[in-house]
Amino acid sequence: VWQDRELLGIGLYTHFQSYAYIGLIATDPPFQGRGVARAVMNHLLAELKTNGNPKVVLTASLMGQPLYQKMGFLERGRAAWYHHLAGLSKGALPKGVRFFERDDFEWIIPLDFAAMGGSREKLLRLLPFRKGIRGLICPELGFAFINGAVIGPIVAQNLETAQTLLKAALTLEFPAAPLVYAAPNNSQICSLLEALGFSLKHTCAYMELDEDTRGGNSELCFRMGSFAVG
């Protein structure tokens, strides 16, 4: 949203076939409360409607949640940031875990599709080859990516595999205190993180536009990546 040449507000979406994430909605503080965020949202939703009309989801700050509710978004759970401030024990990877190999795409992509209800293949094929990103694998059972100090996404067939991947991640070097963005609607991951020494940092509302038609299996998704990029 522009006024003359002055940028007032921004927003983006990432479209994964059957669903889309809206994120990074921001308004220049002097212009907050003047309809800028609503204009951004209206534009994004109109674009998505003509681009396959996918299921639309987002995470909302306390400031943004009332606007999204007025626009038809319903809260479906809480997404939570956890961080690990204790000293980490570096060492070898646990048995059954190894680093990512290119052939792993053959089973990672369908497992991720089952968890998310839409294809993130293009994103997943980029992740392992970006600077600072490391991939950990429990073959055929689950995977985790670590981007700097942020652990995730983690997609696993069961809680035991998610636990193994998290423990493996904590053996690595981190540039800062490790962070995990716990997936909404999967209460198992919060208990697991606390058992591994993570502390709750903050939460935000996970919201969907109207009824949930996305599909997918939230029990397979233990940790999201940034909601801006899915």
Side-chain angles (χ1 to χ4, degrees):
V1 174
W2 298 87
Q3 184 178 71
D4 298 323
R5 295 187 177 183
E6 187 173 7
L7 179 64
L8 307 186
I10 62 171
L12 67 79
Y13 68 79
T14 306
H15 188 188
F16 297 104
Q17 293 185 350
S18 62
Y19 72 102
Y21 278 116
I22 285 180
L24 298 185
I25 306 297
T27 303
D28 194 12
F31 296 93
Q32 290 176 355
R34 296 169 58 179
V36 174
R38 180 181 288 274
V40 170
M41 287 294 295
N42 283 335
H43 183 81
L44 296 180
L45 291 174
E47 248 190 49
L48 285 168
K49 193 169 184 178
T50 61
N51 191 16
N53 198 26
K55 180 65 186 177
V56 181
V57 299
L58 54 79
T59 51
S61 65
L62 287 174
M63 182 181 294
Q65 189 169 356
L67 169 63
Y68 304 136
Q69 288 172 332
K70 291 176 183 176
M71 300 186 76
F73 284 84
L74 303 175
E75 183 174 342
R76 297 297 190 188
R78 305 294 296 181
W81 275 107
Y82 282 82
H83 59 172
H84 199 298
L85 298 179
L88 302 178
S89 58
K90 309 299 183 295
L93 293 177
K95 185 178 179 180
V97 182
R98 59 171 171 78
F99 287 103
F100 169 86
E101 296 175 1
R102 190 179 294 269
D103 289 344
D104 290 317
F105 282 131
E106 292 184 8
W107 62 269
I108 280 178
I109 290 169
L111 176 60
D112 188 75
F113 190 103
M116 303 307 300
S119 175
R120 299 195 298 179
E121 180 173 352
K122 291 182 179 179
L123 174 66
L124 291 172
R125 288 190 179 278
L126 287 174
L127 280 177
F129 309 109
R130 298 294 297 272
K131 184 178 179 181
I133 294 182
R134 295 164 286 180
L136 294 175
I137 301 297
C138 286
E140 307 294 335
L141 295 177
F143 64 89
F145 287 104
I146 299 93
N147 183 2
V150 180
I151 303 173
I154 296 173
V155 176
Q157 296 277 16
N158 50 57
L159 182 63
E160 291 72 25
T161 301
Q163 182 178 34
T164 298
L165 288 166
L166 274 167
K167 287 182 175 179
L170 293 177
T171 68
L172 305 177
E173 295 285 344
F174 287 87
L179 287 168
V180 172
Y181 203 175
N185 306 323
N186 189 334
S187 58
Q188 297 179 99
I189 188 61
C190 298
S191 299
L192 173 57
L193 289 168
E194 291 167 4
L196 292 175
F198 284 84
S199 300
L200 179 64
K201 190 174 183 182
H202 64 83
T203 66
C204 55
Y206 174 73
M207 306 186 77
E208 297 171 342
L209 187 59
D210 299 324
E211 295 299 319
D212 182 9
T213 58
R214 177 173 64 87
N217 184 352
S218 62
E219 292 184 358
L220 299 177
C221 186
F222 290 89
R223 192 275 179 194
M224 304 301 291
S226 162
F227 282 96
V229 297

